[in-house]
Amino acid sequence: MTTIDEKYMKRAISLARQGAGWVNPNPMVGAVLVKDSRIIGEGFHEFFGGPHAEVNAICSVSDLSGEQVAGSTLYVTLEPCSHQGKTPPCVNLIAEKKIAKVVIGIADQNPMVNGAGIRFLKEQGIEVTVGVMEEQIKELNEVFIKYIQTGLPFVVLKSAMTLDGKIATVTNASRWITGEASRRKVHHMRQQFGAVLIGVDTVIFDDPLLNIRLKGEWKNPLKVIADTHGRIPMQSKVLTNDPQLTIVATTQLADPHKLKDIERAGAQILICPVKDDKVDLAFVMKSLGAMAIDSVMIEGGSTIAFSALKEGLVDKLICFIAPKILGGVNAPTAVGGTGISSMEDAIDLVNLRTRKVGCDLMIESWIKK
């Protein structure tokens, strides 16, 4: 790997990020075509079912006769596909255009096709380099990698708290703990996830919309409510605003007449097993994965946060900490539940990162597996 390879791969990564939230459950992929030490074409995977990054990069070149593309080097974040899916195989087009060299960030993480595209390119006499900025690209596509390998969604636990760890006052008032910049950031995050998940208590106390309220074009996530006994108020915003995007994950303990009312309102019902007197969240995640939902952001509250952590369902944490103190022994904290009894069993976090968002501190970390 050379610094030149890194230079162009960084550009490909930057392009790939533009597909965040639009390509799920496909990976984010960027591609750059280089000839005579200059970029002649760029592209990224723009939306699910659309042309792949390599195709967009080749099509962006002004001279499509093949004379300019021929002999160039293609930098692409992910191994080009060699199978027919929603679009034709990219490796065929690469060979047809007589591209001389392909520099790949990571091999395709799909176990069924891993390495097939690389083998095809080499068989065509094309020089191939693999593993440029591999770790950065794996992190970029951590959602895709988990989903394609396990069939389960990548799960992020998001919380907003005061400096003393409170997510609401003793009277359950929570608007607003964090500043406007943090709240805007959360709306951007929702675009990148297939679903957001909250507990029914959050619906009862906060009545959130769980949609994206930003200027421009956005794709609202699926709204999943964990509600063991069917307590969700019929007038709640998730049932009166775009109810077709709402799933109420409940159990046989709920009143069947209430569940019929929820369905008539336009929402979906997911009947789940009961675990520890609550909705079995592992079942919810398996069900969402079967629906091609590749990612879930848990947004509240403290009980569901602890349940998800205890069950080992969470992959990553994102915490927004506001420079405020609330106090109150009965004020809810970010993670509630029964708690962990010994330090040896504490959930360890790795790769801690911090940055300021407005007046707040954003902490990003991963669960140590």
Side-chain angles (χ1 to χ4, degrees):
M1 179 174 65
T2 67
T3 54
I4 296 297
D5 287 342
E6 288 187 347
K7 171 187 172 181
Y8 293 122
M9 192 60 76
K10 282 179 182 177
R11 177 57 186 162
I13 292 171
S14 178
L15 290 165
R17 292 187 193 281
Q18 296 181 50
W22 297 107
V23 300
N24 308 56
N26 283 350
M28 290 177 275
V29 184
V32 175
L33 269 172
V34 177
K35 190 172 184 181
D36 299 327
S37 300
R38 65 184 183 89
I39 294 175
I40 62 170
E42 294 184 337
F44 66 97
H45 186 31
E46 298 178 13
F47 58 91
F48 178 72
H52 287 186
E54 304 92 318
V55 175
N56 286 332
I58 292 170
C59 289
S60 74
V61 179
S62 58
D63 179 9
L64 294 183
S65 67
E67 293 179 4
Q68 190 173 11
V69 175
S72 62
T73 296
L74 173 67
Y75 290 84
V76 61
T77 55
L78 184 73
E79 174 186 351
C81 65
S82 59
H83 60 284
Q84 176 72 45
K86 290 185 177 296
T87 59
C90 292
V91 290
N92 291 356
L93 182 62
I94 292 169
E96 176 190 325
K97 294 297 180 181
K98 296 181 170 54
I99 291 171
K101 181 178 179 180
V102 180
V103 180
I104 298 168
I106 61 172
D108 194 323
Q109 301 297 293
N110 185 339
M112 297 183 67
V113 298
N114 180 283
I118 294 169
R119 287 192 296 273
F120 178 90
L121 293 173
K122 288 181 177 179
E123 288 167 0
Q124 302 303 307
I126 298 171
E127 183 182 348
V128 178
T129 299
V130 184
V132 177
M133 301 190 70
E134 185 174 8
E135 292 307 312
Q136 293 91 329
I137 295 169
K138 282 184 176 179
E139 183 178 320
L140 172 72
N141 279 308
E142 59 188 358
V143 167
F144 168 75
I145 291 171
K146 180 185 178 183
Y147 181 69
I148 200 67
Q149 291 181 350
T150 68
L152 296 172
F154 187 89
V155 180
V156 168
L157 174 60
K158 188 276 299 182
S159 60
M161 66 184 80
T162 59
L163 192 59
D164 57 338
K166 305 299 182 181
I167 61 172
T169 68
V170 290
T171 60
N172 277 307
S174 60
R175 294 185 180 175
W176 296 103
I177 284 180
T178 53
E180 184 179 343
S182 292
R183 299 197 299 274
R184 189 165 56 248
K185 173 69 174 174
V186 171
H187 282 271
H188 282 281
M189 288 166 56
R190 285 177 183 166
Q191 154 74 13
Q192 299 175 30
F193 287 84
V196 294
L197 169 66
I198 62 173
V200 70
D201 285 341
T202 300
V203 177
I204 293 169
F205 289 120
D206 294 343
D207 196 19
L209 280 163
L210 298 180
N211 61 1
I212 298 172
R213 299 183 294 281
L214 296 169
K215 291 181 181 180
E217 186 180 359
W218 301 94
K219 178 173 63 67
N220 282 314
L222 196 66
K223 298 169 283 188
V224 184
I225 316 301
D227 184 6
T228 308
H229 297 93
R231 295 187 295 125
I232 186 171
M234 291 303 301
Q235 70 275 16
S236 61
K237 291 174 182 175
V238 293
L239 292 182
T240 57
N241 292 266
D242 294 328
Q244 71 277 6
L245 288 177
T246 299
I247 294 178
V248 178
T250 187
T251 70
Q252 297 288 356
L253 301 176
D255 180 355
H257 298 292
K258 175 71 173 289
L259 300 186
K260 286 292 184 184
D261 289 340
I262 293 170
E263 288 181 319
R264 277 192 285 267
Q268 303 173 61
I269 295 293
L270 176 65
I271 300 296
C272 309
V274 178
K275 186 170 185 178
D276 297 330
D277 300 320
K278 297 179 182 66
V279 167
D280 185 342
L281 292 181
F283 180 86
V284 173
M285 296 304 173
K286 289 179 183 176
S287 300
L288 292 175
M291 298 177 198
I293 300 299
D294 66 350
S295 51
V296 176
M297 181 164 67
I298 301 176
E299 292 208 37
S302 63
T303 301
I304 198 169
F306 179 74
S307 295
L309 287 166
K310 181 184 176 184
E311 293 298 315
L313 302 175
V314 179
D315 298 289
K316 185 176 181 179
L317 273 74
I318 298 179
C319 301
F320 295 89
I321 301 177
K324 299 175 183 177
I325 300 289
L326 284 177
V329 76
N330 293 320
T333 56
V335 181
T338 56
I340 293 171
S341 58
S342 67
M343 287 301 298
E344 290 76 12
D345 295 327
I347 297 166
D348 292 323
L349 307 178
V350 295
N351 300 333
L352 195 74
R353 300 175 187 173
T354 62
R355 66 186 176 98
K356 284 200 70 178
V357 179
C359 294
D360 304 321
L361 182 67
M362 175 179 163
I363 299 178
E364 185 178 26
S365 57
W366 285 257
I367 300 291
K368 184 177 180 181
K369 297 296 184 180

